[in-house]
């Protein structure tokens, strides 16, 4: 069945399919397959419908009807009815060979339908001589409306661009001039795409900015389609859009019997009269060439597989697909001996080819993607013949992050799609169902985060209603949700993160002042409740970061609440509560006292041996020496104490030794104060006491001296500066001991070994 957009071809095909006992239909996009699966499952029951795409596989045991992407169609499964949508894509340089294969080989036992543009009629008849061609007219009229500025576009319009950068640029202009827009691109997941579409369909925004992904069956109530450009990069070179491509996209305007219009923006210029006539009258030059690739593949060897992929087409109207991603990946891996040595025989060559068909959803065909395919093949041909579960879990763990901007989240989504595809391969991963569920969960959360970022960036969330309330000087109602979002008159105006309010930016200073005033009324009681909860929390609910910030761990979140500040001594820092005029002064004081008490316990817990020394029952010289050691965080120079060390009685020296004090030639030190974690705490305390930014503790026994760091900092943490290096005092004593041994006539220490001792 052939004809222009909005002729009801797809609707009819689905009706015909569900009229048969079994059926299958292939769509050009995962988004479109998912949309129609949801519709059929809602009507016929989820237990009767299957969804099969590269990244999703929902196949109930009693499934009767299969909704698929064209690439994922299980064509070896017998069904009574079979349909392929958008068959004119047989002329597409990227995917045409797949559509050609389905046209040639995919058949229903009782009925087969091919749906697409009438331009495909001649080549379809050449491929299938007994083909019955049925054409249908468009339900509504499509009319050219000329160029229009973005600020003059009618409501319910879509603006079409051909790269993510162009879409974002136009969407930003639409936010500033028209209050916002929804964004739709092929790279979006179905969940993110549907959320953006729902925002448009529900009337939250009146405009849509999209790539040509909307040209393939996206059903929306569009009245006008405006082209921001009339050329695109097709993966090989920039080129002008054809009349058929313009019609495919423009045809989204006017659904069913509602007429639609199409046009351009001034930057794109006017459309040629000939193209306008072809689009309005749905009359396009017939397709003359289609893309083909052999499916008769030689799996006996890698070389044989490559040769069979390069076989010439059987008909003159066919062009061989030359640069498919899977073919390029195979050619690169065929140059690696470790791969070819394992790809011996039909089973392993077939497995290599299946691995090469893992899609590069990031569209880079980079060394990273080829390397991933290589790793997968080597694992699958290894001792377990499985992908290591910890390797797969680790890859998903690295992607399970919801932070970052739009491009970062989109990139993670593309990578998750790859792992979802891999997890669906039969027998590749142990516990594949669990991996599939985890990948889907990550994709859903990334999709939600991406939808949120798109909305934040390209939509004025406050909307016209809030603007009118502000203009009327009306009393504004405010509240705080469980997720910390602060709303005024039902519109989010910021978020309460721990004890800090982060307002959304507002361009109008007067509007910002009034919104903040309304928000304060809700924030005061909520902050009082949070302070009370913090004061009653367990000790482990508070921690100190490496940069000296006190964090409140509230559930899965960690909120900064204070920072370390120098106190009366290096061992008694105080907590400076972060400035927050939304918290009542009394609560500020209670919080500061609570954090000071917690901080004292924290220091004592980490420097327990030091505090044991300070509280030990000592007398005479030992008591004074212990006091000096505590004040110096456990390390003092022998020269600094003068004759005190030699004045110790045997009993006093023994008492100090039992407490962990070590007497060296150069230093007297508490050995328990030199563990890496203890040195880390001392480094932070010394940085605060000396008024320095928090400095990381040395990771080795000897480190280069930083000229910008005072000698006092190194001394406080238990190091001594010796020219260009700083040496930990216990290691310094070893060096001193070796030097003394070398100085004796019978000494055996070798000077060449000093460097090892210092390291």
């Amino acid at each position: 069945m052939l004809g222009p957009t909005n002729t009801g071809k797809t609707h009819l095909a689905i009706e015909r399919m569900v009229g048969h006992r079994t059926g299958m239909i292939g769509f050009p996009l995962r988004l479109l397959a998912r949309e129609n699966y949801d519709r059929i499952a809602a009507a016929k029951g989820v237990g009767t419908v299957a969804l099969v795409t590269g990244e999703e596989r929902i196949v109930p045991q009693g499934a009767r009807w299969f909704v698929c992407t064209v690439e994922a169609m299980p064509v070896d499964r017998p069904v009574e009815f079979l349909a392929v949508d958008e068959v004119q894509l047989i002329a597409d340089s990227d995917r045409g060979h797949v559509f050609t294969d389905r046209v040639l080989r995919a058949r229903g036992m009782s009925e087969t339908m091919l749906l697409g543009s009438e331009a495909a009629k001649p080549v379809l008849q050449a491929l299938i001589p007994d083909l019955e061609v049925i054409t249908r007219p468009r339900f509504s009229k499509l009319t050219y409306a000329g160029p229009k500025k973005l600020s003059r576009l009618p409501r319910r319009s879509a603006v079409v661009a051909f790269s993510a950068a162009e879409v974002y640029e136009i969407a930003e202009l639409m936010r500033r001039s028209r209050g916002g827009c929804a964004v739709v691109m092929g790279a979006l997941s179905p969940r993110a795409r549907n959320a953006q579409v729902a925002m448009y369909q529900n009337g939250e925004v009146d405009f849509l900015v999209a790539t040509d992904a909307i040209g393939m069956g996206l059903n929306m109530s569009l009245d006008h389609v405006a082209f921001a450009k009339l050329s695109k990069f097709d993966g090989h070179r920039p080129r002008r859009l054809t009349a058929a491509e313009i019609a495919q996209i423009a045809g989204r305007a006017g659904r069913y019997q509602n007429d639609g219009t199409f046009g351009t923006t001034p930057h794109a210029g006017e459309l040629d009269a000939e193209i306008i006539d072809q689009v309005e009258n749905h009359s396009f030059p017939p397709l003359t060439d289609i893309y083909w690739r052999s499916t008769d593949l030689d799996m006996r060897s890698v070389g044989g597989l490559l040769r069979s992929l390069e076989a010439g087409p059987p008909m003159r109207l066919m062009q061989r697909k030359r640069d498919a991603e899977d073919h390029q990946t195979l050619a690169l891996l065929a140059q690696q001996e470790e791969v070819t040595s394992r790809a011996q025989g039909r089973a392993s060559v077939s497995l290599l080819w299946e691995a090469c068909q893992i899609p590069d959803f990031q569209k880079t065909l980079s060394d990273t993607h080829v390397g991933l395919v290589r790793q997968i093949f080597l694992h699958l041909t290894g001792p377990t013949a499985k992908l290591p579960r910890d390797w797969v879990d680790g890859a998903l763990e690295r992607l399970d992050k919801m932070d970052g901007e739009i491009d970062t989240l989109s990139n993670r989504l593309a990578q998750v799609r790859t792992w979802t595809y891999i997890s669906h391969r039969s027998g590749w991963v142990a516990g594949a169902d669990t991996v599939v569920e985890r990948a889907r969960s990550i994709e859903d959360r990334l999709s939600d985060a991406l939808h949120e970022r798109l909305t934040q960036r390209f939509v004025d969330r406050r909307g016209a209603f809030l603007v009118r309330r502000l203009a009327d000087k009306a009393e504004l109602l405010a509240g705080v949700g469980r997720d910390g979002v602060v709303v005024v008159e039902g519109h989010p105006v910021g978020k309460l993160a721990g004890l800090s309010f982060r307002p959304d930016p507002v361009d109008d200073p007067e509007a910002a002042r009034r919104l903040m005033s309304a928000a304060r009324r809700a924030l005061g009681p909520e902050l009082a409740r949070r302070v009370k909860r913090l004061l009653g929390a367990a000790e482990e609910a508070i921690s100190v970061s490496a940069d000296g910030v006190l964090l409140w761990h509230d559930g899965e979140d960690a909120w900064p609440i204070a920072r370390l500040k120098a106190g009366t001594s290096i061992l008694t820092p105080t907590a400076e509560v972060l400035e927050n005029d939304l918290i009542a002064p009394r609560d500020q004081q209670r919080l500061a006292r609570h954090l000071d008490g917690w901080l004292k316990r924290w220091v004592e817990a980490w420097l327990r041996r030091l505090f044991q020394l300070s509280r030990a029952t000592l007398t005479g010289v030992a008591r004074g020496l212990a006091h000096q050691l505590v004040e110096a965080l456990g390390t003092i120079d022998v020269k600094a104490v003068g004759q005190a060390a030699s004045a110790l009685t045997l009993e006093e020296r023994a008492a100090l030794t039992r407490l962990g004090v070590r007497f060296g030639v150069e230093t007297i030190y508490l050995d328990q104060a030199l563990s890496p974690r203890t040195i880390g705490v001392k480094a932070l305390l010394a940085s605060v006491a000396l008024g320095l930014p928090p400095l990381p503790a040395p990771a080795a026994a000897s480190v280069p001296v930083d000229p910008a760091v005072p000698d006092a900092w190194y001394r406080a943490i238990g190091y001594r500066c010796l020219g260009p290096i700083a040496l930990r005092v216990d290691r310094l004593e070893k060096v001193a001991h070796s030097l003394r041994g070398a100085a004796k006539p019978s000494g055996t220490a070798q000077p060449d070994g000093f460097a090892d001792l210092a390291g």
Side-chain angles (χ1 to χ4, degrees), residues 398-457:
R398 289 189 291 275
L399 297 172
D400 194 3
K401 300 174 183 175
M402 304 303 121
D403 60 326
E405 296 305 313
I406 293 170
D407 289 342
T408 301
L409 292 169
S410 297
N411 184 269
R412 287 190 195 128
L413 266 173
Q415 294 181 66
V416 168
R417 292 175 68 186
T418 297
W419 285 104
T420 304
Y421 181 95
I422 291 167
S423 65
H424 280 302
R425 300 310 93 193
S426 177
W428 280 17
V429 185
D433 289 345
T434 304
V435 177
V436 168
E437 287 303 316
R438 185 178 183 191
R440 182 178 295 127
S441 173
I442 295 172
E443 180 178 321
D444 285 348
R445 284 182 283 113
L446 282 171
S447 298
D448 292 342
L450 179 56
H451 169 63
E452 179 184 353
R453 300 297 194 285
L454 289 169
T455 304
Q456 286 174 350
R457 182 168 170 183

Side-chain angles (χ1 to χ4, degrees), residues 569-605:
S569 75
I570 196 170
L571 287 171
T572 56
T574 61
E576 181 181 41
V577 178
L578 299 181
E579 184 177 349
N580 190 338
D581 62 356
L582 296 171
I583 300 178
R586 180 172 173 270
D587 284 340
Q588 290 261 18
Q589 295 166 5
R590 292 172 63 203
L591 184 58
R593 287 195 300 270
H594 178 77
L595 294 178
D596 280 343
W598 180 91
L599 197 53
K600 179 181 178 182
R601 295 189 295 276
W602 178 80
V603 172
E604 290 194 16

Side-chain angles (χ1 to χ4, degrees), residues 353-364:
W353 178 234
E354 189 176 355
C356 289
Q357 291 177 297
I358 297 171
D360 178 16
F361 287 112
Q362 294 174 272
K363 301 301 179 186
T364 60

Side-chain angles (χ1 to χ4, degrees), residues 25 62 76 88 141 199 277 292 316 399 494 508 547 581 628 638 669 734 744:
I25 184 166
D76 55 346
Q88 73 275 5
K141 187 177 180 181
M199 188 168 61
D277 179 69
W292 174 91
R316 294 183 61 183
L399 297 172
D508 182 356
D547 56 357
D581 62 356
Q628 291 184 62
V638 169
Y669 61 94
K734 289 184 179 180
K744 294 178 180 179

Side-chain angles (χ1 to χ4, degrees), residues 497-653:
L499 301 179
S500 301
F501 176 56
R502 300 171 183 171
D504 294 338
V506 179
D507 295 332
D508 182 356
E510 175 60 22
R513 185 190 65 78
R514 295 202 64 223
L515 287 172
M516 193 62 187
S517 177
R520 280 177 180 274
R521 291 195 294 273
L523 287 168
E526 176 61 23
L527 283 168
R529 285 190 290 271
R530 292 193 178 199
V531 169
K532 183 178 180 180
R533 190 164 79 243
L534 172 55
L535 295 178
E539 289 279 293
E540 56 269 22
I542 302 173
S543 68
V544 180
S545 70
D547 56 357
V549 175
L550 274 72
L551 302 173
W552 173 29
H553 297 268
D554 186 28
E556 296 182 355
D557 298 311
W559 310 111
I561 52 175
R563 63 173 62 88
L564 289 184
K565 184 181 178 182
T568 56
S569 75
I570 196 170
L571 287 171
T572 56
T574 61
E576 181 181 41
V577 178
L578 299 181
E579 184 177 349
N580 190 338
D581 62 356
L582 296 171
I583 300 178
R586 180 172 173 270
D587 284 340
Q588 290 261 18
Q589 295 166 5
R590 292 172 63 203
L591 184 58
R593 287 195 300 270
H594 178 77
L595 294 178
D596 280 343
W598 180 91
L599 197 53
K600 179 181 178 182
R601 295 189 295 276
W602 178 80
V603 172
E604 290 194 16
W606 277 107
L607 304 181
R608 180 168 52 89
R609 297 291 187 181
L610 207 60
F611 281 90
Q612 285 178 351
L613 180 62
S614 71
R615 294 166 182 155
T617 303
L618 299 169
T619 60
V621 177
R623 182 178 179 184
L625 192 58
H627 176 75
Q628 291 184 62
L629 274 168
V630 172
E631 289 293 309
L633 294 189
T635 309
I636 53 177
D637 291 344
V638 169
K639 293 178 182 178
V641 299
Q643 300 299 317
S646 58
L648 288 168
T649 66
L650 290 176
E651 290 78 7
E652 289 172 336
R653 192 181 184 96

Side-chain angles (χ1 to χ4, degrees), residues 129-426:
D130 58 347
L131 180 73
E132 178 186 359
V133 178
I134 300 173
T135 59
R136 296 184 64 154
R138 182 178 165 90
F139 288 135
S140 62
K141 187 177 180 181
L142 189 60
T143 307
Y144 180 61
K148 294 182 184 294
K149 294 181 179 180
L150 295 177
S151 59
R152 298 297 182 90
L153 287 175
R155 294 175 67 250
R156 317 311 289 168
S157 289
V159 184
V160 178
F162 295 95
S163 73
E166 291 169 350
V167 166
Y168 296 156
E169 181 182 356
I170 294 168
E172 184 63 37
L173 291 172
M174 295 299 290
R175 189 190 75 83
R176 293 201 299 263
S177 64
R178 309 303 296 269
C181 62
V183 171
V184 172
M185 298 182 292
L188 295 183
S189 65
R191 188 181 180 97
R193 193 288 306 259
N194 290 343
Q196 288 286 301
V197 169
M199 188 168 61
Y200 172 85
Q201 292 289 76
N202 295 338
E204 295 178 51
V205 291
D206 284 324
F207 300 93
L208 176 74
V209 181
T211 62
D212 52 346
I214 67 167
M216 293 294 175
L218 185 66
N219 297 313
M220 299 175 66
S221 56
L222 285 172
D223 294 335
H224 180 77
V225 172
F227 290 84
K229 288 188 73 173
L230 295 174
S231 62
K232 64 180 286 188
F233 182 77
D234 64 4
H236 307 281
R237 57 185 173 83
R239 62 170 178 80
R240 298 279 292 182
L241 297 173
T242 66
E245 288 172 328
I246 291 173
Q248 183 74 34
I249 300 166
R252 297 302 118 194
R255 302 307 299 163
Y256 193 47
Q257 295 184 349
N258 297 320
D259 294 339
T261 57
F262 68 101
T264 61
T265 63
H267 178 73
E270 286 272 7
L271 277 171
D272 294 339
E274 182 180 359
I275 291 180
I276 295 170
D277 179 69
Q278 290 176 339
V279 174
E280 289 184 337
N281 294 299
H282 319 298
S283 176
F284 310 106
L287 303 179
T288 56
D289 294 308
I290 64 175
Y291 284 86
W292 174 91
R293 185 171 74 180
S294 175
T295 56
D296 184 15
L297 302 180
D298 181 0
M299 295 296 180
R300 291 173 297 179
S301 68
V302 174
L305 174 57
L306 284 168
R307 285 190 295 274
S308 60
L309 286 168
E310 293 163 2
M315 299 177 66
R316 294 183 61 183
L317 62 82
M318 296 177 175
Q319 295 187 49
R320 180 172 68 84
K321 172 64 176 173
R322 297 178 182 276
D323 54 1
E325 290 175 0
D326 50 10
H327 191 170
Q328 292 182 68
T329 302
L330 177 66
L332 290 170
L333 292 178
Q335 301 172 25
Q336 300 186 20
E337 184 178 354
E338 188 175 10
V339 172
T340 55
S341 65
R342 296 199 188 185
Q344 301 291 328
R346 291 183 182 277
S348 58
V349 173
S350 297
L351 182 59
L352 175 60
W353 178 234
E354 189 176 355
C356 289
Q357 291 177 297
I358 297 171
D360 178 16
F361 287 112
Q362 294 174 272
K363 301 301 179 186
T364 60
L365 196 63
S366 63
D367 291 342
T368 301
H369 179 73
V370 176
L372 174 65
V373 174
R374 175 182 176 278
Q375 281 184 286
I376 287 171
F377 176 70
L378 294 179
H379 282 310
L380 294 176
T381 53
T384 64
K386 297 277 187 185
L387 300 182
R389 184 58 184 271
D390 57 347
W391 182 60
V392 176
D393 288 343
L396 290 174
E397 182 69 28
R398 289 189 291 275
L399 297 172
D400 194 3
K401 300 174 183 175
M402 304 303 121
D403 60 326
E405 296 305 313
I406 293 170
D407 289 342
T408 301
L409 292 169
S410 297
N411 184 269
R412 287 190 195 128
L413 266 173
Q415 294 181 66
V416 168
R417 292 175 68 186
T418 297
W419 285 104
T420 304
Y421 181 95
I422 291 167
S423 65
H424 280 302
R425 300 310 93 193
S426 177

